[in-house]
Amino acid sequence: MGVKRSLQSGGTLLTILANVLTVLSTATNYWTRHHQGHSGLWQECTKNTCSNIPCQTTLAVTAACMVLTAGFGIVAMVMGMRITCHKGEPLRARTTVSLLFLSGFCFLLADMILQSTDAISGFPVCL
């Protein structure tokens, strides 16, 4: 097996792992923990009782970025597997790399939104 084939196989395995972790992190309710419970993008759990979080702009945008990340990642993973299993055309490889870049950008954007919300939470600003 050549170096190129090894890198393609390793990249595909890492993409599968990244997609599994992205889907799990998007679905979990353990994004933040506090003394009375924990919360995620979709639900807030207090004393073993979980309820849906009312629509907040920052959480909605973060959730949308995470869903886009998962979608781009899965599509890129399928395209990467096709390139690894078959002789891939350069255009398909470039498209796959572009999708993975977009998946990473959306994840970075979601993280930046959460960090900026935490940073300005003391100011009288409505996001």
Side-chain angles (χ1 to χ4, degrees), residues 27-29 38-46 48-56 59:
T28 188
N29 289 329
H38 53 85
S39 64
L41 290 175
W42 317 107
Q43 290 184 335
E44 183 173 33
C45 299
T46 308
N48 297 329
T49 305
C50 294
S51 61
N52 290 337
I53 295 178
C55 186
Q56 297 174 4
L59 281 179

Side-chain angles (χ1 to χ4, degrees), residues 7-119:
L7 288 174
Q8 287 175 339
S9 299
T12 301
L13 288 175
L14 288 175
T15 303
I16 291 170
L17 178 65
N19 284 327
V20 168
L21 293 176
T22 299
V23 169
L24 287 176
S25 69
T26 303
T28 188
N29 289 329
Y30 287 92
W31 276 53
T32 60
R33 293 183 128 183
H34 43 83
H35 65 282
Q36 294 180 356
H38 53 85
S39 64
L41 290 175
W42 317 107
Q43 290 184 335
E44 183 173 33
C45 299
T46 308
K47 297 179 185 174
N48 297 329
T49 305
C50 294
S51 61
N52 290 337
I53 295 178
C55 186
Q56 297 174 4
T57 305
T58 54
L59 281 179
V61 171
T62 303
C65 287
M66 289 301 293
V67 170
L68 281 173
T69 299
F72 285 144
I74 290 169
V75 169
M77 177 186 65
V78 170
M79 292 176 73
M81 288 176 144
R82 288 187 64 193
I83 291 170
T84 302
C85 294
H86 305 295
K87 192 73 172 174
E89 302 94 36
L91 180 60
R92 188 179 297 159
R94 286 188 195 115
T95 305
T96 303
V97 170
S98 299
L99 283 174
L100 286 172
F101 179 78
L102 283 173
S103 154
F105 180 74
C106 289
F107 188 74
L108 180 64
L109 187 62
D111 184 54
M112 287 172 44
I113 290 169
L114 281 182
Q115 285 184 9
S116 66
T117 302
D118 290 342

